Amino acid sequence: MKFNGIYLSGVGVCLPERVPLEEAVARGDCDESQLTTGWRAARVAGTVPAPDMAIEAGKQVLTRSGHAPGDVDLLLHTSTSHQGPDSWMPQHYILRNTVDREIPAIGLRQGCEGFLAGAELAACFLMASPDRTAAMITTADNFGHPLIDRYRSHHGLVLGDGGTAALLSKREGFAELLAVNSFSVPALEGMTRGDEPLFPPGCTVGRKVTLERQATSRPGDVTPQEAALIAGKVESEAVRQVLDDAGIEIGDITRVLHPAAANEQYLEHFLKPLGLDPSYGMLEFGRWNGHMGASDLLAGLDHLISEGALQPGDHVMMFAVGPGMAMSYGVVRIRDTPPWRA
């Protein structure tokens, strides 16, 4: 979807300390075989609740954006793992401790593509009424709980903790949101469901999340080869559409933000068909954080800004894939150097 006059006014992050993989191996938390996969470290939040990291990022984004709490007309919170007590909705807690206004606070469960899906919804919300000014999107996860093992849930994957926030505004911003397109691929729904029963839900009986088993134990509706062809076709169409909506060519892309990965083959799968080298991505940055769920994209954008790696006129493409299967692609154009970069 093409947007006009929707700006990214600020980005906020709350990233806990890195724990090197060698240290995790020495403690017995991580198998030594993970040292060969490319990961270098993981962000580990300890006992800090995920919503509290979202709150810290939300407070920072308000300060950086130059907007007051009264400017915010919507809060969206997205996550990939448990946030707190069952039957409790973290978005209202985050709202209370950031903008503290009687506005809609909505939770999204879109997995790793939660930020982009949220950005598309938030932009539409802002465009629907001239009286609306800004929307806050927060992301957060702490994978240190007993139902998942950040180092062993999938060989080749290390999970990191963190929270991020973004403020979309119709008033001003250091970047302009040009386009976002989100897709669902129903034919691939079974890929991350695996053979686990739907009832009773795994978390209610203490069943651990095993991402590797879920990714390989497919119900048999499609073969891995068929899944690759279906996903490739949707990805190609998604890229073409988001570039058309943004009014640019693939050669205009300066950098690519994506879910964290330690293996260059992951980036080659997405970027090589576009004629882009893996160096456009954030491979090394991700290796030192772990895969932080929905927080990877904004953490990567904050990193590029802080390093001075983006200049006015640059175009940044974002993509993410979530279980279900969901895909989102977006493009932002850098307008100015944010004042907080100093």
Side-chain angles (χ1 to χ4, degrees), residues 45-83:
T47 59
V48 178
D52 284 352
M53 289 188 282
I55 289 168
E56 289 305 308
K59 291 178 178 178
Q60 185 181 65
V61 81
L62 278 175
T63 300
R64 287 178 165 185
S65 70
H67 286 62
D71 296 325
V72 181
D73 300 296
L74 172 71
L75 184 141
L76 298 178
H77 177 62
T78 181
S79 61
T80 64
S81 191
H82 296 281
Q83 300 285 291

Side-chain angles (χ1 to χ4, degrees), residues 12 28 38 47 49 80-81 84 108 119 127 130 138 150 154 160 174 178 274 312 329:
T47 59
T80 64
S81 191
L108 301 177
M127 293 169 61
T138 61
R150 74 172 71 248
H154 193 302
F174 71 92
L178 299 182
L274 307 178
Y329 285 79

Side-chain angles (χ1 to χ4, degrees), residues 256-277:
V256 178
L257 298 172
H258 52 83
N263 192 324
E264 194 168 286
Q265 291 179 346
Y266 175 84
L267 281 185
E268 288 180 345
H269 168 79
F270 287 98
L271 300 185
K272 193 172 181 179
L274 307 178
L276 297 179
D277 186 84

